[in-house]
Amino acid sequence: HWRTNGYDLETYDLTTKRLRPTVMLEDGEPEKLVGQAWRGVSTRDGRWLLTLYLKGREAFVHALDLQRGIGHCVDLPAHGNPMTLGTSGLGLSPDQRTLYVANPVLGRVFTIDLRRPRVARVARFEPWLGADEVGLGASPNVAVSANGRTLYFNGNGLLWAYDAPYGRVRGPYPARRWVMGLAFTPDDRKLVV
């Protein structure tokens, strides 16, 4: 429920048919959810609903554990305006335990460990795109390989590759046009753009 000072989240249990307040935590402490929901992704097993929120010059991921009914606010260690923060793409590892937040404008890939919802790694890279080069309508797409080792993301007509085990970003590689979607072939040998 949207309130003037933030959101009140409630969890509905389909088994007991009960509605109850969702516990919100940040670093183990109670937290009020404030900000603008921007983009989200969920795990295939229905355990997590992961939403990127923009709040002024900050961004965070709301990691809602649907099994326990607890929401975790995971602050992203970066600042910018909504134009730069909003150009973040979300991708999940194949085992659904890691969320990647890739932002070509900030030059960052954030790795969030969902076992203890927190930022586990921040990879920095250059060159990054300026805020005037990527509009909000050109948000990055993210594709994670089936083996979980490589993540590709885009911004405008450029692609970057992130090596997950080593936390390194390669690129940019020209795609010649604006990219509307990315996917790996099932054998991980090709990236479809």
Side-chain angles (χ1 to χ4, degrees):
H1 303 287
W2 170 250
R3 309 282 187 220
T4 56
N5 63 344
Y7 296 91
D8 288 335
L9 294 180
E10 295 179 315
T11 304
Y12 182 73
D13 187 317
L14 294 169
T15 305
T16 64
K17 297 185 177 19
R18 290 186 177 184
L19 190 65
R20 61 183 169 79
T22 301
V23 176
M24 297 294 303
L25 299 176
E26 182 176 1
D27 297 327
E29 298 294 321
E31 175 73 14
K32 181 77 171 170
L33 185 59
V34 177
Q36 176 65 45
W38 198 249
R39 120 179 344 103
V41 64
S42 61
T43 56
R44 290 186 307 273
D45 63 4
R47 166 86 189 266
W48 293 100
L49 177 59
L50 306 156
T51 308
L52 175 69
Y53 274 81
L54 306 180
K55 184 174 95 174
R57 298 187 54 78
E58 300 174 350
F60 65 93
V61 171
H62 180 252
L64 180 57
D65 182 338
L66 295 169
Q67 286 182 348
R68 296 185 180 128
I70 298 174
H72 302 270
C73 293
V74 181
D75 291 328
L76 298 180
H79 295 83
N81 60 43
M83 180 69 85
T84 58
L85 296 169
T87 55
S88 296
L90 306 177
L92 281 165
S93 64
D95 65 6
Q96 310 288 284
R97 293 181 185 163
T98 305
L99 174 69
Y100 299 102
V101 181
N103 188 307
V105 178
L106 294 174
R108 306 276 192 285
V109 176
F110 304 98
T111 301
I112 297 175
D113 182 349
L114 295 175
R115 291 170 290 191
R116 292 183 348 189
R118 64 179 179 82
V119 175
R121 176 187 279 168
V122 179
R124 300 170 191 273
F125 62 95
E126 292 186 42
W128 58 86
L129 301 172
D132 57 338
E133 296 179 73
V134 178
L136 292 176
S139 301
N141 297 280
V142 175
V144 181
S145 63
N147 65 14
R149 293 187 58 83
T150 307
L151 165 89
Y152 272 90
F153 60 96
N154 72 291
N156 276 4
L158 301 173
L159 296 168
W160 286 266
Y162 175 67
D163 184 325
Y166 296 102
R168 294 192 182 135
V169 177
R170 298 183 315 268
Y173 306 109
R176 298 187 195 158
R177 296 185 181 180
W178 285 62
V179 176
M180 301 306 289
L182 300 172
F184 277 92
T185 56
D187 61 6
D188 277 351
R189 291 185 175 193
K190 294 181 182 175
L191 179 71
V192 180
V193 179

